[in-house]
Amino acid sequence: MADSGGGDCCSPRLPDDALFLGLDCSTQSLKATVLDAGLGIVATDSVHFDSDLPPYGTHGGVRRDPAERGRIVSPPLMWAEALDLLLARLRPRADLRRVAAVSGSAQQHGSVYWARGAGAALAALDPAGSLATQLAGAFASPESPVWMDSSSAAQCREVEAAMGGPLQLAALTGCRAHERCTGPQIRKMYQTRPKVYDATERVSLVSSFMASLLVGGYVCIDETDGAGMNIMDIATRQLREDALQATAPNLEERIGKLAPAHAVAGKISPYFVQRFQFASSCLVIQWSGDNPNTLAGLTLSNPGDLAISLGTSDTVFGITDSPEPTLEGNIFPNPVDPKTYMVLLCYKNGSLTREDLRNRYAERSWDMFNRLLEETAPLNGGKMGFYYKEHEILPPLPVGFHRYVVKNLTSGSLDEMVEEVGEFDPPSEVRAIIEGQFLSMRGHAEQCGLPVPPRRIIATGGASSNPTILKIMASIFGCPVYTSQRSDSASLGAALRAAHGWLCNQQDEFVPFSSVYSGRIDRTSLSMKLAVPFGECEGDIELLNNYTLLVRKRLEIEQKLIERFNQRELSGF
Ligand code: ADP
Ligand code: XUL
């Protein structure tokens, strides 16, 4: 194959006629981005779980267990069926025979429990039948706990106690035991559904599950997504014996080995060659988590930059070569640079909670929501809201809405605030949810050692298409906000990682990620655009200083809410 242009004369090149496929199995949908060798977008498509696959009965891609508080699951068979459906949609629009490599992204932490014999079933998939019919019996549990699940608090405390406490666990594995972390989730499965655990041949993350479908056999968990489990040593990137012991018996044989994110997981299986006309030489590159893939898709490489993703979850992350363990954040290896790490904060009440307020106060319309935002003045007259439609991760608080008015910004005392009993008016509610989230992000990012104020923010995810929201983000963080051309940067990142993995394989060694795009970024789908400048308007700095005061107030109120909640839990209410 001929070489494509781009890059400097010495960097390895992608073959001219090759395509690279990136998939993203997120909470609500499975998305695809196909790139050509010049990094132009050839096609994109998606399957929306609720509307395209209604028999699975999901809402927002998940099922909430009415019988168990906090238990939130999705059926892995639905993700498999979505893969067949998405590739069938894509095939007329992209020549899948030219796909040199495919990689992927998936919601982090979710665990899939394969039944005994499932490895053999994967290897024997018949292209005449569908994945859904052939894999219907392949799961020890038809439901996978996902990142939104908060039902594993007891197991989290047990794992932390066994490992020397929450901060020690964070120092060893990259984070304390958050309820969504896979290790405590596996422990819960072992304790509460021992028959399922006994019948489990292999545990995959959602990322390695999807890669296993493509390869037709169990695929390693990648070291980046593996850091979200509480069982991998964050320094050596090996499974930790003590953490495995603290989680469940005979776990190592069920987890398998770990692999770097740029490694080849295998060749695509005959099922996909025959059913969708992939070339048999097409490589499957290790899949990874959606946040690591987003980092790749944004080509985030400057430690002064902050990424904010406003998807189903809201996340804030940056890169560093010397991560400090904290009780709030997660540390993951950088999927495209083995020398650095990403530090991440994750909020459960992201887009779906914003949608809930939009539906209540803005006639279900984002246009109306933006009009209400514009009607209200920055700082919202001191009105501050805490909106937890789901049990929140940051701060760890149960479902509930709380409203306060900060009457005096400069007072150091919480007594200067009055708790509101009722609701605010609709415009204030709408401003309160948007300002409140960015105030919280700024406060917690600073506590986790992320750059505040950042040199710039790169915003992505579904809600980053909303310019009114981005304007408030810039005012609160005190920096310009950039966006990528596409808000689905996780599948774009996966397509880039497919190209990167292909290059590493061709060179037989790790090559810098920048070899994929260097010298041509401005001519490709990777270029960034300035969405909101900062510091050009009179009043920007004064407003920023007031927001700084409000950040402190917000963290104080959060602390008060946590103390109140903990007291209630202790007294059994
Ligand atoms: P996922 O985490 O599933 O990948 P996405 O990044 O695709 O999620 O984001 C989907 C969300 O984007 C939707 O739930 C929706 O609330 C939000 N969204 C889409 N358009 C807008 C908009 N104009 N303003 C605010 N939010 C939006
Ligand atoms: C990150 C996290 C979420 C999911 C959402 O730790 O739990 O961002 O990855 O898909």
Side-chain angles (χ1 to χ4, degrees), residues 11 70-71 150 177 191 248 263 287 367 386 396 407 412 427 442 474 540:
S11 51
R71 182 166 177 267
S150 60
Q191 288 181 339
W287 282 47
D367 285 343
F386 297 75
K407 289 162 76 183
R442 193 183 133 182
D540 272 359

Side-chain angles (χ1 to χ4, degrees), residues 96-97 99-102 266-269 273 278-284:
L96 299 181
R97 287 170 303 189
V99 175
V102 49
K267 294 245 177 79
I268 201 158
S269 89
V273 172
F278 281 93
S280 55
S281 58
C282 172
L283 298 179
V284 180

Side-chain angles (χ1 to χ4, degrees), residues 27 106-109 147 180 290-291 313 315 330 332 344 346:
T27 315
Q107 56 166 295
Q108 301 196 251
H109 315 288
W147 70 276
R180 68 192 194 287
D290 50 4
N291 293 293
S313 64
T315 59
N330 284 66
F332 302 125
L344 171 131
C346 178

Side-chain angles (χ1 to χ4, degrees), residues 242-492:
D242 51 0
L244 289 165
Q245 297 280 347
T247 303
N250 306 320
L251 184 54
E252 190 168 3
E253 67 201 42
R254 288 173 167 85
I255 295 285
K257 296 208 176 331
L258 303 176
H262 61 269
V264 173
K267 294 245 177 79
I268 201 158
S269 89
Y271 175 88
F272 294 94
V273 172
Q274 287 169 46
R275 197 171 166 103
F276 299 106
Q277 276 76 59
F278 281 93
S280 55
S281 58
C282 172
L283 298 179
V284 180
I285 305 301
Q286 286 285 154
W287 282 47
S288 186
D290 50 4
N291 293 293
N293 276 284
T294 299
L295 179 144
L298 299 177
T299 60
L300 194 80
S301 55
N302 187 322
D305 288 349
L306 199 63
I308 297 188
S309 171
L310 303 172
T312 309
S313 64
D314 281 354
T315 59
V316 182
F317 56 87
I319 57 169
T320 174
D321 50 14
S322 49
E324 284 295 326
T326 62
L327 292 181
E328 295 187 335
N330 284 66
I331 299 168
F332 302 125
N334 182 334
V336 288
D337 177 5
K339 292 200 191 76
T340 63
Y341 292 85
M342 61 188 290
V343 175
L344 171 131
L345 300 176
C346 178
Y347 292 83
K348 207 191 285 183
N349 288 275
S351 283
L352 295 177
T353 304
R354 280 187 289 276
E355 268 179 37
D356 185 60
L357 262 80
R358 179 203 63 181
N359 297 347
R360 286 175 198 228
Y361 300 115
E363 297 170 13
R364 314 182 80 81
S365 142
W366 288 122
D367 285 343
M368 176 64 135
F369 187 94
N370 288 349
R371 274 203 295 282
L372 295 180
L373 274 178
E374 274 154 8
E375 261 176 35
T376 46
L379 303 169
N380 211 14
K383 296 193 197 80
M384 199 186 285
F386 297 75
Y387 301 94
Y388 306 128
K389 198 173 164 293
E390 303 283 353
H391 191 298
E392 183 48 75
I393 298 166
L394 191 59
L397 281 173
V399 173
F401 287 4
H402 314 276
R403 299 171 178 89
Y404 291 82
V405 178
V406 179
K407 289 162 76 183
N408 182 350
L409 266 183
T410 48
S411 158
S413 149
L414 271 177
D415 298 340
E416 299 295 322
M417 297 170 206
V418 186
E419 188 170 356
E420 292 265 314
V421 186
E423 294 178 29
F424 300 141
D425 56 47
S428 308
E429 293 283 2
V430 159
R431 183 165 278 274
I433 190 171
I434 298 299
E435 285 193 339
Q437 188 72 328
F438 295 142
L439 291 169
S440 169
M441 286 179 174
R442 193 183 133 182
H444 290 288
E446 199 160 17
Q447 287 179 355
C448 283
L450 285 165
V452 176
R455 190 178 71 110
R456 62 172 182 169
I457 289 173
I458 307 175
T460 185
S464 70
S465 62
N466 185 325
T468 319
I469 292 180
L470 298 188
K471 209 169 140 207
I472 299 174
M473 185 189 278
S475 303
I476 292 182
F477 278 88
C479 69
V481 174
Y482 285 73
T483 49
S484 51
Q485 285 177 35
R486 311 194 51 86
S487 61
D488 52 348
S489 40
S491 63
L492 176 64

